[in-house]
Amino acid sequence: MISVKEKKRLSKLSQLIYKASKTVKILRHLAWPLDVKNKFFKENCQKLPIYTYPIHDDSELKFILNEADKYFGNTLYDSWLKIKAEEIKKNSSLLKACGTKEFFNISSDIYGLPTTPIHDNVTKPINLSKQFEKIIGAIKNSKIKLKPSHSLSSSEVAKKIDDKVKLYFNECAPQVQLVKNLSAKATATSKYINIREGGEFDQADINQLLNHEAYIHVATTINGRKQKNMKILGANYGSVTKTQEGLAVFSEFISGSIDVDRLKRISDRTIAIQMAIEGADFIDVYNYFIKEGVSRDQAFENSRRVFRGGVLSGGAPFTKDLVYLDGFIRVFNFLRSAISLGKIECIELLFSGKMDLDDMPIIYSLYKDGLIRKPDFIPPWANNLNYLICFFSVSMFIEDIDYSNVSKHYDLLLDSIN
């Protein structure tokens, strides 16, 4: 067992690294003021937006990390925490490189690329996106019409979500508020769930946002900040984003909250990032989203997400938005393996804070050594082990089937239908 003295040292070290992480606010730094959008529309969407990012001051970050250096030891936990400190430094370097091609290089290192293979070294987010787009295209060209649900105002959505989170989190419930000029439909911290004022919402958005923002982002933040000895688990920084967004999308999927429009938005963003990498500028990507049938406002917001921090003339975008699809596949496979191997505690510990999937061996050791505790808030679907076991058991069985002949049979069957 780890000594009390060592626990205190590691706790202090973790707290300092967590404090350092608070000085690097990626999305806040990359946000555009509303007048950039207004000017773009005033110029009939014919001129590239212009925005100069504020200079990122990293002096406080350096000061805190220099202090943290005094507490480093030689344990596996120290090596892990040193990696976290380096990742936070990389986030800071990203912000210092805003508006340059180097921004894209750092972004690619943190979040990956649409062409970065997942663990099988074959599957790529861009291929999955194109495959989904092909399937959706086939559905659109058929006689079946996907019926959109009844539209809701942003205030109606905020009220319904507020009622739900108060029941789930009780005294820890975040405040739900409307926010103007939000790049996403919603964002979340441990204290607030922000809903885009004037955004386009329907009934499906309520369950999606609850499962995505509340049951994952809010829950893992609160759980992480309750870890007295490992405050770093309450920190939000680039390298944990893939797992956190992957969990959030999986939460939508396993709860039956995701829909075609939502998955198409995720796929479209991945395709748009690849377009920008290949040289498409802001206007090209904006027109792509318009062609896909979204409103002018939403097309601008989608394009802004791709280009914020990068080069608007093309070649160097912000690659964060591909983590939704990439992370979803990684989380799916992790949970399947955890169920297959009977590592149920690892599923619980996955919600004990903000982490990367590859952190799990260290997280489990931290738990066994009494440096972290199990989370207070776990999404409802993760507590339903009966369903998870059934779901992944069937999933594994189906994947073992040789589909070469099966597909031929049903393809011929269905192709005969006019």
Side-chain angles (χ1 to χ4, degrees), residues 147-154 156-161 164 185 199-211 252 256-259 261-262 265:
K147 296 181 180 179
S149 59
H150 179 66
S151 63
L152 296 171
S153 68
S154 52
E156 287 177 299
V157 170
K159 175 65 171 63
K160 291 177 182 292
I161 290 176
K164 295 280 188 180
K185 284 193 172 186
E200 301 165 8
F201 297 95
D202 59 31
Q203 189 64 40
D205 287 313
I206 295 173
N207 285 334
Q208 285 174 16
L209 294 176
L210 274 171
N211 278 280
E252 295 177 47
S257 304
I258 203 163
D259 61 12
D261 286 341
R262 168 65 169 154
R265 288 200 302 271

Side-chain angles (χ1 to χ4, degrees), residues 27 33 36 41 63 66 81 101-102 128 156-157 173 177 179 191 261 267 360 367 396 406:
L27 298 187
V36 176
F41 287 145
F63 178 82
N66 283 338
L81 288 169
K101 289 187 176 180
E102 181 60 18
L128 293 172
E156 287 177 299
V157 170
Q177 60 184 9
V179 176
K191 295 181 179 178
D261 286 341
S267 295
M360 187 51 68
Y367 168 66
M396 285 182 277
V406 174

Side-chain angles (χ1 to χ4, degrees), residues 203-263:
Q203 189 64 40
D205 287 313
I206 295 173
N207 285 334
Q208 285 174 16
L209 294 176
L210 274 171
N211 278 280
H212 189 109
E213 303 294 346
Y215 299 154
I216 300 298
H217 292 327
V218 174
T220 54
T221 303
I222 293 174
N223 291 335
R225 292 182 182 177
K226 284 189 172 189
Q227 302 289 354
K228 293 181 180 179
N229 294 316
M230 278 291 139
K231 283 289 186 182
I232 188 60
L233 291 177
N236 193 19
Y237 49 98
S239 61
V240 301
T241 305
K242 188 172 291 186
T243 297
Q244 295 308 306
E245 296 298 357
L247 268 174
V249 175
F250 182 84
S251 185
E252 295 177 47
F253 170 77
I254 200 70
S255 63
S257 304
I258 203 163
D259 61 12
V260 169
D261 286 341
R262 168 65 169 154
L263 201 51

Side-chain angles (χ1 to χ4, degrees), residues 55 83 94 131 159 196 200 204 213 273 382 398:
I55 296 173
I83 291 171
L94 178 76
Q131 182 178 342
K159 175 65 171 63
R196 187 198 299 166
E200 301 165 8
E213 303 294 346
I273 289 169
I398 289 174

Side-chain angles (χ1 to χ4, degrees), residues 253-254 332 335-337 339-340 385-403:
F253 170 77
I254 200 70
F332 185 101
L335 292 173
R336 182 183 59 181
S337 292
I339 292 291
S340 175
L385 283 177
N386 279 329
Y387 179 69
L388 284 180
I389 291 168
C390 292
F391 177 85
F392 283 110
S393 295
V394 172
S395 171
M396 285 182 277
F397 175 79
I398 289 174
E399 284 185 1
D400 287 337
I401 296 173
D402 182 356
Y403 275 96

Side-chain angles (χ1 to χ4, degrees), residues 16-28:
L16 285 167
I17 298 172
Y18 167 74
K19 186 178 179 182
S21 76
K22 300 286 283 180
T23 69
V24 186
K25 304 288 188 182
I26 293 178
L27 298 187
R28 186 179 300 177

Side-chain angles (χ1 to χ4, degrees), residues 104 107-108 111-114 273 277 306 317-323:
F104 166 66
S107 171
S108 303
Y111 303 106
L113 293 166
I273 289 169
I277 290 171
V306 172
F318 185 35
T319 62
K320 173 188 173 289
D321 272 4
L322 66 88
V323 302

